[in-house]
Structure formats: structure tokens, C-alpha cells
Amino acid sequence: METQNWKELETPLSKSVLKTIEELKFPYMTPVQAASIPLLLKGKDVAAEAVTGSGKTIAFLVPLLEILQRRKEKWKPKEIGAIIISPTRELAIQISEVLQKFLNNISDLKQVLLVGGTTIVEDVDRLKAGANIVVATPGRLEDMLSNCKSINLAACVKFLEILILDEADRLLDLGFSASLNTILSYLPRLRRTGLFSATQTKELQQLIRAGLRNPALITVKEKPNISTPTNLKNNYTIVNAEYKLSIMIDFIQCKGINLKYMIFLSTCACVDYFSHIIQTMLPCVPIFAIHGKMKSKRYKVFNEFRRTKSGILICTDVMARGIDILEVNWVLQYDPPCSASSFVHRCGRTARIGNEGNALLFLLETEDAYVDFIKRNQKVDLQEIILEPSIISYEKCLKCMRDLQKQDRSLFDKANRAFVSYIQAYNKHECNLILRLKDIDLGKLAMGFGLLRMPRMPELKTRDISNFHGEDTDINSIKYLDKQREKSRLEKLTFFQNNGMWPKLQKRKHKQTEPWSEAKKKKLEKQENRKTRKEKKQKRKIDAQDIEDLAKDIALIKKLKKKKISEEEFDIAFGIDKKV
């Protein structure tokens, strides 16, 4: 599709929208914008699939604002004309920020953001102050529609003109199907609906059939056999498990610490642990950490990373979808993602809207089949980069990890939790046919985590861990820097040394018990009650059969009296043998 100027649209845009587009410095429409905007403006429902970073947000905001502005009647303060639903708080906030840039030039329309992190009372106050556009996450919007008595939001949405589901496939991946169905039940059917996503799934097809009327299906890819932007260079490297972290640190230092990096890890515990390690290894680099369990703190960290000119964001897949961060130079996938589609979304955090970007996937020696899998499953060609390990860097990295654990027991705990969570996540991997835990040398993997000793877990019972070399350190001597935690630990340790068990275990084991004779009596009573219930049940069955037989006998006697049957037939039916 050829590039198209905004002023070349068949239906001209308003001056206020064109002014904002000019301020945002988007001289031409991207393919998804050129394909979907005219259809939405003509009143069509649209289901659009486009590669990540292709400008989907502008693709639905422009027609949404045009539709609202073209209504003949002026919008009342509490009339909601548009709803945008997004899977995560960060993405909803990001959409709200872009929308506000348009609304700065449109004085007649107001928006409200409904996401977690604020109280219901605060949301109600903002809605009462007036809102024509709602940007929300599914859970909060469902709650406001169904459970909030202080404002009748269901009445406010009866004039809805357009509904947008952004990252619609992700909405379903995160289990929001029930919430979406509830929300749709409150909305008028005569509306326009737009679904925007980077991938199409079977669940998404079902949602399209349920929520859209004769939709126009749009699939925009830069090349038919590529699912990532053409200006994105996808690479991979094969590493040994114990050298992986040191190789990544060397790679960052080689490419330049003045760049912007995103590092994706498989679990929240790994983010907690490795963010401390990387911060110590690269003291001059701003390090940011985000994962799904951080909740309210998450957006503050995300915003700081967006504003910084250089730095490293260490995160889970919570940051893999829709998030627009300017000038991310490298996306480093420390582990293969749990799903194939997440691979594409992770890479898409760089090379946004025409910019160049790079992505590097770190694979263990046993994971090389993943390269071919991604090529077949996601149509992504990966180019190999050879990164040689440095023994000096590895030893420095290992010493750093172990020294930090010995200085603060909380880091020792985090290291063990990270290792355990990694093993458990790997076992549940979507690609467990090619990424098999039994193929990994868990001894070398533990060295890559810098563990002081191997944790106790079922997965290690029958495994060879001879390549793990722990330190001769008294684990009980490692202290928490937090004085309260250390005091509590010492109390438990003293109790253990005196009683042979930890307090919690002791409390559970020595809870108040009843005498043996009482326990025996209760057991016999239970058996007797069970026997009585069984007999009553059987008696009820017998009684029912007797009643049925009696009814049959009475019916036969009546037939005999009315001479409907002979005495001989009666005797045969009753089983009377007159020969006796």
C-alpha cells in the first residue's frame, strides 16, 4: 500500500484532529491507518490485525474523535459516546495520554481513565464531573457498570457511538472473556466496533462473531511472509547456561551503556533477583524493574523509563504488549517466552512506527530447535550472532552474585526463589516438546544464578548436578540487612537449635489433640451412623417396591370384580397354583 497523506482521505478530517496529527509529526498514514480509518468513518465495524508498532492507536483514535464530533446534537457532560478497552493499566494510560493530546485541541469532549490503582470513589467523582470518552481496563469497567450504585453508568452509555477493543487477543489471553461479555450486555447494539490486535486467534474470531456486525477484516503486514516490522533485525545467540548473564553484561557494555535496552525474563522472581545483580554489575546505568506483582508501583517505574534517555528495563511479559517507548535500541530476550506469539510482541517494543530496532534472543545449547520453531510458527527469521564467553567476566559475575547474597540474606532468598520459579516456569512452557527441562544441565544453570547451595525441590531428586560448585559458607550465618527480619530469623533459629524444629512446624505439629479414647469413640459413632443411613436408604427402596406391588395387586382385584379378567387369569397373575 502506498503512503497516503492525511488530507487525501475521502472523508475530510476536522481541523482540530489534523492539527494534533501535525503536532505529533505523523505526515503520512501507516498501512493499518489508511485501511481502517475510512471504513470506521463510513460506519463499518472493523477487525484489524497489524504488526506491533504499526500505529494502531492513531488508527482508532482519529475515527473515534471524528465520529463524536460529527454528531448533530452537542454531547452532554455525562453522555458517553466512546469506550476504549485495553488489557493492561500501562497500555490504558498510554492511550489516554495520546488521546489527551487530541482533546487539548477539542474543547467539547472530555475523557475519563478507569483503571486499577485508584479508588472507586475517585472514579465516580471524575465521571460525575463529566466524560464523553472512557478509556478502561475490563475489570474496572465491569465493576463500575455492574456494582457501582453511586452512579448509573449503564444509563450514561446508552448513547454509545463506538467501542474499541485494543490488543483484543491479549484481552482474551488474560481471561477477560467473561468481563467483556458482561460489558457488551450493557452497551447498545447499534454502535460501531473496532477490534485491533497484532495476532488473530480462534477465541478472537468468536469475539468478532459475537460483538461485530458484518465486520470488515483487515490484515496488514509489511511482507506476507514476515510478522515483525521489516526495519527490525532479529538475532539469536547460543550460550552455555552458566555464562549467560556474563555474556549479556559484556554485550551491553560492547554495544554501549548510553543506549536504551529492555530485558525480558520469564518470572517475577527472576526480575526481582537479576535487577539487583545487573544494577551492581553496571553501576553507571539506570536500572528499572517491572513485573505483574508490583501493581501500583508499576506505572511510576514505567514512566521513569519512558522519560530516560538511556537505561535498562528488566521485565516480564507484562510489558510485551502495546507499550510504546521511544527509541528502545535493543530488546534482549534472556529466556524464550512462554508462548510463540509473545516472542513477536517482545520484539515489537523496538522498531516502532518506522524506526530501526534490534532484538536478541539468548538460547541455551539445548534450545537451538526454537529457532526453526519460531520461523515456522511466527514467520520470523533469526540471524545468529556468535558471542564468546569470557572466563574473567564470568568469574567476576559469579563473585558479584555470591557476595551480594552473603551481604544480605534477602538476596540469598531472592536467588533461590528465582531459580525455583525458572525451573517451574520452564516445565510449563508452551514449547515443552522442544524445550525440555530434562535436557538442561541444572548444575550449570544453578551456577548461572550464582547460587550458594542447591535448593531442595522435587525436580532435582534424580538429576545429575555435579557441575554445580557451591561455596563452603555457613548459610545460617548470612544476615538480613533489615533489622526486624534479622531479629525474627534469629529467634526462629534459636528455637530450632533448642527444639529441633522451626516454630511454625512445631506449632502445627503440637496443636491441641484429643485423647485416644475420645477419638476411638467418635470413629465408632461415625461408622454406626454410616451403617444406619445405609439401612434406612435400603429400607426406603424396599418400601417403595412393596407399594408398587400392592398397587398392582389392587388393580388386578378391581379387574376381576368388573369381570375384565377371568378367575383363571387372576390366579395366574397372582401366582396361585390350584393344582396344589
Side-chain angles (χ1 to χ4, degrees):
M1 188 178 292
E2 294 179 5
T3 55
Q4 186 176 353
N5 191 292
W6 291 96
K7 294 179 181 179
E8 295 173 1
L9 277 169
E10 184 181 339
T11 307
L13 301 180
S14 62
K15 290 181 180 179
S16 56
V17 168
L18 284 172
K19 183 181 178 182
T20 309
I21 289 169
E22 192 177 330
E23 289 170 357
L24 293 171
K25 297 179 181 178
F26 295 142
Y28 298 102
M29 284 184 278
T30 64
V32 69
Q33 291 162 1
S36 57
I37 290 173
L39 291 170
L40 284 168
L41 289 176
K42 288 176 183 176
K44 298 278 188 182
D45 284 358
V46 169
E49 176 192 3
V51 295
T52 185
S54 58
K56 292 191 289 289
T57 303
I58 300 296
F60 62 73
L61 284 182
V62 167
L64 178 150
L65 292 167
E66 289 294 326
I67 289 166
L68 296 190
Q69 288 184 93
R70 289 173 189 178
R71 190 174 112 156
K72 292 179 181 178
E73 297 176 21
K74 188 178 179 181
W75 288 95
K76 293 177 183 177
K78 293 182 183 178
E79 284 183 340
I80 295 172
I83 293 176
I84 303 167
I85 300 177
S86 164
T88 65
R89 188 186 311 173
E90 288 79 15
L91 185 51
I93 292 169
Q94 184 176 285
I95 293 167
S96 177
E97 288 175 352
V98 178
L99 174 59
Q100 190 56 49
K101 291 176 181 177
F102 282 93
L103 296 182
N104 290 339
N105 296 319
I106 306 171
S107 58
D108 297 338
L109 299 174
K110 290 184 178 180
Q111 68 153 322
V112 160
L113 179 66
L114 301 179
V115 295
T118 59
T119 64
I120 296 291
V121 176
E122 289 173 331
D123 288 341
V124 169
D125 289 342
R126 281 182 288 149
L127 284 166
K128 286 180 177 178
N132 311 115
I133 305 168
V134 170
V135 182
T137 47
R140 178 53 64 93
L141 182 57
E142 180 193 17
D143 195 24
M144 295 295 290
L145 283 165
S146 305
N147 306 319
C148 187
K149 306 288 184 184
S150 52
I151 187 168
N152 188 0
L153 191 59
C156 298
V157 300
K158 67 181 181 180
F159 298 104
L160 190 81
E161 290 275 351
I162 183 167
L163 168 69
I164 299 294
L165 300 178
D166 189 28
E167 298 289 348
D169 52 334
R170 183 62 171 165
L171 285 167
L172 299 176
D173 287 345
L174 292 174
F176 287 125
S177 298
S179 294
L180 289 176
N181 289 334
T182 303
I183 291 166
L184 290 173
S185 70
Y186 283 96
L187 305 182
R189 293 191 177 184
L190 292 175
R191 63 169 193 271
R192 271 155 284 196
T193 305
L195 272 73
F196 290 81
S197 65
T199 52
Q200 292 279 4
T201 62
K202 289 180 181 178
E203 293 81 2
L204 190 57
Q205 291 296 329
Q206 292 171 1
L207 182 61
I208 289 169
R209 286 194 289 271
L212 281 71
R213 296 172 291 110
N214 299 320
L217 301 177
I218 297 170
T219 301
V220 178
K221 293 185 179 179
E222 299 187 17
K223 287 186 180 179
N225 62 337
I226 296 176
S227 59
T228 57
T230 52
N231 51 348
L232 170 60
K233 295 176 183 176
N234 283 297
N235 308 283
Y236 76 96
T237 187
I238 303 294
V239 297
N240 189 301
E242 58 190 322
Y243 297 133
K244 188 195 275 190
L245 182 61
S246 62
I247 286 174
M248 187 181 71
I249 296 292
D250 286 346
F251 178 82
I252 292 170
Q253 289 176 325
C254 177
K255 292 296 176 183
I257 59 172
N258 58 331
L259 302 179
K260 224 167 182 178
Y261 299 85
M262 287 183 74
I263 300 175
F264 284 96
L265 299 174
S266 56
T267 71
C268 300
C270 286
V271 170
D272 279 338
Y273 174 58
F274 283 112
S275 58
H276 285 278
I277 305 303
I278 294 171
Q279 180 66 84
T280 307
M281 294 295 297
L282 300 171
C284 299
V285 181
I287 304 294
F288 306 86
I290 289 182
H291 57 70
K293 294 180 181 178
M294 292 173 69
K295 296 184 180 178
S296 57
K297 187 183 174 184
R298 220 164 68 193
Y299 182 68
K300 183 182 177 183
V301 176
F302 165 65
N303 221 16
E304 287 175 357
F305 181 67
R306 284 175 70 188
R307 289 172 183 167
T308 190
K309 291 182 179 179
S310 64
I312 300 172
L313 176 64
I314 303 165
C315 56
T316 57
D317 283 338
V318 74
M319 298 298 291
R321 298 292 294 263
I323 301 302
D324 193 13
I325 302 172
L326 295 176
E327 297 174 358
V328 172
N329 303 98
W330 280 90
V331 167
L332 306 179
Q333 302 193 55
Y334 196 72
D335 311 308
C338 62
S339 67
S341 61
S342 290
F343 176 89
V344 172
H345 295 302
R346 284 179 173 189
C347 296
R349 294 318 95 211
T350 184
R352 308 281 297 174
I353 314 180
N355 295 318
E356 291 188 356
N358 304 277
L360 176 62
L361 172 65
F362 291 84
L363 293 174
L364 301 181
E365 294 160 328
T366 57
E367 298 171 340
D368 57 337
Y370 191 77
V371 176
D372 186 57
F373 168 76
I374 284 295
K375 183 176 181 179
R376 293 172 182 273
N377 190 282
Q378 294 295 313
K379 298 182 175 64
V380 178
D381 276 314
L382 299 175
Q383 302 300 317
E384 186 174 9
I385 295 176
I386 306 295
L387 298 176
E388 294 294 339
S390 163
I391 300 299
I392 295 172
S393 295
Y394 164 67
E395 290 176 349
K396 182 181 176 183
C397 210
L398 180 63
K399 185 176 186 303
C400 172
M401 288 188 281
R402 288 181 164 173
D403 285 349
L404 285 174
Q405 291 178 63
K406 287 184 280 188
Q407 289 166 16
D408 185 0
R409 194 176 187 86
S410 67
L411 260 296
F412 170 76
D413 293 341
K414 285 178 180 179
N416 285 279
R417 277 196 294 268
F419 180 77
V420 171
S421 71
Y422 178 89
I423 297 290
Q424 292 170 343
Y426 205 90
N427 246 346
K428 298 173 185 175
H429 205 288
E430 184 188 74
C431 308
N432 55 17
L433 288 175
I434 57 172
L435 304 182
R436 300 180 301 180
L437 184 65
K438 66 179 184 179
D439 295 336
I440 298 178
D441 187 323
L442 296 185
K444 289 183 178 180
L445 184 69
M447 294 298 289
F449 278 74
L451 300 188
L452 294 172
R453 69 172 184 189
M454 290 294 277
R456 294 177 183 175
M457 55 189 302
E459 291 84 353
L460 300 178
K461 283 183 179 178
T462 58
R463 299 295 298 272
D464 175 17
I465 55 171
S466 57
N467 283 320
F468 175 73
H469 307 290
E471 281 207 356
D472 187 15
T473 303
D474 180 7
I475 300 300
N476 288 329
S477 67
I478 301 174
K479 300 178 180 179
Y480 287 112
L481 289 181
D482 185 303
K483 292 181 180 179
Q484 280 296 115
R485 290 188 71 184
E486 180 58 20
K487 182 182 176 183
S488 174
R489 185 187 76 87
L490 289 175
E491 288 173 356
K492 291 175 184 177
L493 185 60
T494 303
F495 190 95
F496 173 77
Q497 290 168 345
N498 293 335
N499 298 280
M501 60 184 71
W502 292 100
K504 285 185 180 179
L505 295 175
Q506 187 271 344
K507 185 178 180 181
R508 190 158 57 241
K509 192 172 181 179
H510 289 87
K511 66 180 181 180
Q512 187 65 37
T513 57
E514 57 190 358
W516 176 84
S517 57
E518 285 294 320
K520 180 76 173 176
K521 184 180 177 183
K522 285 184 179 180
K523 186 178 179 182
L524 290 171
E525 283 177 356
K526 282 183 181 179
Q527 290 175 346
E528 190 65 32
N529 289 338
R530 200 179 297 120
K531 185 179 178 182
T532 305
R533 285 197 301 272
K534 192 173 181 181
E535 288 174 352
K536 284 181 179 178
K537 192 174 180 182
Q538 194 162 359
K539 188 178 180 181
R540 281 198 297 272
K541 285 182 181 178
I542 293 169
D543 291 346
Q545 187 64 48
D546 289 345
I547 292 167
E548 189 179 344
D549 292 340
L550 182 60
K552 287 179 181 178
D553 292 346
I554 292 169
L556 285 169
I557 292 167
K558 285 181 179 179
K559 284 182 179 180
L560 180 65
K561 281 184 178 181
K562 292 179 181 179
K563 296 183 179 181
K564 289 184 177 180
I565 59 172
S566 65
E567 285 189 9
E568 187 177 348
E569 288 172 332
F570 177 83
D571 291 340
I572 292 169
F574 250 87
I576 300 171
D577 189 356
K578 289 194 173 182
K579 293 180 181 179
V580 179

